[in-house]
Amino acid sequence: MSADVNEMFAAERAGQLEAARDWERELQNRLAAGTVKRLPDGRYRILSGWDAGEILSDRGAPQHGLDLSRGRPALYSAVPAWHHVGNVIPGGTADIDKVLELGGIDYHIDTVPATYLWNGAYRYAEGQFHTVRTDTGASLGVVGKSYTVVQNRQAFEFLQELVNDSNAIWESAGALRGGKKVFVAMRLPRHVRVDAEGINDEIVPFVVVINSHDGRCPYEVVLTPWRPVCGNTERLAVRDAYSRWTVRHTRSALDRIQEARRTLGLSIRYYDKWVDEETVLARTNLAINEFDELIDALWPPGDTPTARTRRTYEARRERLHNLFTGEAERTGRTAYAGERAVTEYLDHFAPIRPSAASGLKDNKPAARGLRLLEGVDDELKSRAHRRLMHLRQS
């Protein structure tokens, strides 16, 4: 079964649940030994050892990070994913209105003047407005007078043409951060294969569209090659082909979205170019010292690293070497294997530190998934790709 950019959460959850079970067993042993005490609010106080007095929170099942404004996770999916929550419709649906409804993103956004309390009276903040959900009344952000709301249906309806014309599938849709950010992922019907006559590595083509209502992020359409065998997003720039359209929330936003709509027909060109370049890498041998040079180019150790920096550097290198070795066993010791090791490390193993502003500070699995969705590491993946392509050409 094909997966989408959210499928990784199923594996994340399995690992998290196993860790939670291990923690629960350890907790019960410590309760029986009298080294921790349960508090009325469900937390635990440590009674002995170097951390005596510290408070432990109840580490149950991990959070999924989806919007819960309506009392249920805002998610539609054609396959069980993202912690197996939300509305799963096996095989998907072809109706955009159903997708918006099941994904919990069929709400509208209004802008209202921003006010503040001063000496017991409310004043208007000139030129500032709140973006407000009309279903819940929640404020999602503060924006200026030139900000243009892109309603969720306006953001995604142009993809309906792909459904009608080419049997593309609405794979998933949902909302995050209380509805500040919404997304859809569409799986294109034509799968592609890297080095079809050699390693024959399957790639599933997706179009991901992300809209925001907090005034901080643009509207984006992103082409996302997905590698099911490792659950990796292989988004990276290739020559002479568009892979991303970014539209700011200004008065011309809707016109720019129409431009993205027209150029999206070139998406197949991107995937063709992507496969061509990846096939070149799959036929390029990569020595271990060349892989080390790639690591150092992406994560320079610095001239005078501290002991902590050195430990981080060595741990990262060891992890990347292990990933490269595992990938090389399947696809050969090639530049393609080196690039896959980098993408797998960035998608699943690179340390992340969610900020309080993200709303996911205590939810690393969801933060990692959002990082994947937003393509935070796409530029680093592209740098790795360019360097390895240069290796081939040199």
Side-chain angles (χ1 to χ4, degrees):
M1 177 179 291
S2 297
D4 70 7
V5 292
N6 312 313
E7 184 79 7
M8 63 163 294
F9 279 102
E12 286 275 7
R13 179 173 173 80
Q16 288 285 326
L17 287 176
E18 183 58 35
R21 285 191 288 268
D22 291 342
W23 187 85
E24 182 64 27
R25 286 191 289 268
E26 179 186 353
L27 174 64
Q28 293 304 318
N29 291 335
R30 296 178 73 177
L31 284 169
T35 59
V36 298
K37 176 183 178 180
R38 183 178 176 86
L39 301 176
D41 63 2
R43 297 181 300 167
Y44 301 87
R45 176 179 285 114
I46 300 174
L47 302 178
S48 64
W50 64 270
D51 52 353
E54 290 190 8
I55 302 298
L56 299 175
S57 61
D58 185 1
R59 288 174 50 184
Q63 298 294 308
H64 43 63
L66 296 163
D67 173 40
L68 294 171
S69 298
R70 296 178 175 176
R72 64 183 188 277
L75 178 71
Y76 150 81
S77 182
V79 295
W82 207 302
H83 294 344
H84 295 262
V85 299
N87 298 301
V88 179
I89 306 298
T93 176
D95 185 350
I96 182 175
D97 292 311
K98 202 67 176 173
V99 170
L100 295 174
E101 176 191 348
L102 295 175
I105 56 176
D106 54 345
Y107 54 86
H108 287 261
I109 301 295
D110 278 348
T111 55
V112 300
T115 61
Y116 61 96
L117 185 63
W118 180 259
N119 287 339
Y122 281 97
R123 296 184 178 184
Y124 288 103
E126 186 176 354
Q128 291 189 322
F129 301 85
H130 285 278
T131 51
V132 176
R133 285 182 62 158
T134 58
D135 59 340
T136 65
S139 173
L140 303 182
V142 178
V143 299
K145 61 182 180 180
S146 64
Y147 182 89
T148 297
V149 173
V150 178
Q151 301 292 351
N152 291 337
R153 200 181 198 287
Q154 291 175 316
F156 307 133
E157 63 185 353
F158 75 94
L159 292 176
Q160 184 70 44
E161 293 182 8
L162 292 180
V163 176
N164 297 336
D165 296 343
S166 63
N167 296 318
I169 297 172
W170 295 99
E171 188 78 0
S172 62
L176 302 155
R177 298 174 178 170
K180 294 179 180 180
K181 181 154 291 191
V182 295
F183 67 91
V184 297
M186 176 169 284
R187 176 158 49 94
L188 302 180
R190 173 181 176 261
H191 290 198
V192 296
R193 296 183 181 277
V194 174
D195 191 17
E197 298 177 358
I199 60 173
N200 196 30
D201 206 16
E202 181 187 37
I203 302 294
V204 182
F206 280 89
V207 178
V208 176
V209 182
I210 305 169
N211 192 25
S212 70
H213 302 298
D214 59 3
R216 296 183 176 185
C217 304
Y219 168 94
E220 288 190 287
V221 181
V222 188
L223 302 181
T224 302
W226 175 260
R227 190 180 186 225
V229 68
C230 291
N232 288 343
T233 53
E234 304 290 351
R235 290 204 299 242
L236 45 91
V238 300
R239 292 173 300 175
D240 306 323
Y242 286 105
S243 62
R244 180 187 297 268
W245 295 261
T246 300
V247 179
R248 296 178 59 196
H249 288 260
T250 61
R251 290 188 178 91
S252 63
L254 298 182
D255 292 336
R256 294 290 308 281
I257 290 173
Q258 289 303 311
E259 180 183 337
R261 173 183 182 174
R262 290 190 295 271
T263 58
L264 190 59
L266 300 176
S267 62
I268 203 67
R269 175 176 173 80
Y270 168 79
Y271 282 110
D272 286 342
K273 292 288 294 184
W274 189 90
V275 166
D276 287 346
E277 293 192 9
E278 293 301 293
T279 297
V280 167
L281 297 184
R283 298 174 181 177
T284 302
N285 293 330
L286 185 68
I288 196 65
N289 66 301
E290 292 171 322
F291 185 59
D292 285 337
E293 290 173 0
L294 173 66
I295 295 173
D296 288 345
L298 298 176
W299 296 278
D303 296 331
T304 57
T306 64
R308 180 177 181 180
T309 301
R310 174 57 61 178
R311 287 194 298 271
T312 300
Y313 172 83
E314 293 296 342
R316 182 193 301 114
R317 179 184 287 261
E318 181 180 5
R319 171 71 72 176
L320 284 161
H321 271 267
N322 289 339
L323 292 172
F324 179 51
T325 299
E327 182 62 38
E329 290 176 356
R330 202 182 73 83
T331 61
R333 191 170 289 273
T334 63
Y336 183 77
E339 188 176 82
R340 304 287 71 73
V342 170
T343 57
E344 187 169 0
Y345 173 79
L346 291 170
D347 283 357
H348 301 291
F349 300 104
I352 58 172
R353 297 177 179 83
S355 66
S358 72
L360 299 172
K361 184 176 181 181
D362 298 318
N363 190 349
K364 286 190 176 181
R368 189 178 293 280
L370 185 58
R371 187 180 180 90
L372 261 171
L373 190 68
E374 294 177 328
V376 173
D377 296 313
D378 288 359
E379 176 53 32
L380 203 55
K381 294 177 182 180
S382 294
R383 283 173 53 195
H385 179 76
R386 290 193 296 269
R387 185 176 181 88
L388 290 169
M389 286 295 294
H390 180 72
L391 176 70
R392 168 66 175 183
Q393 295 159 3
S394 61

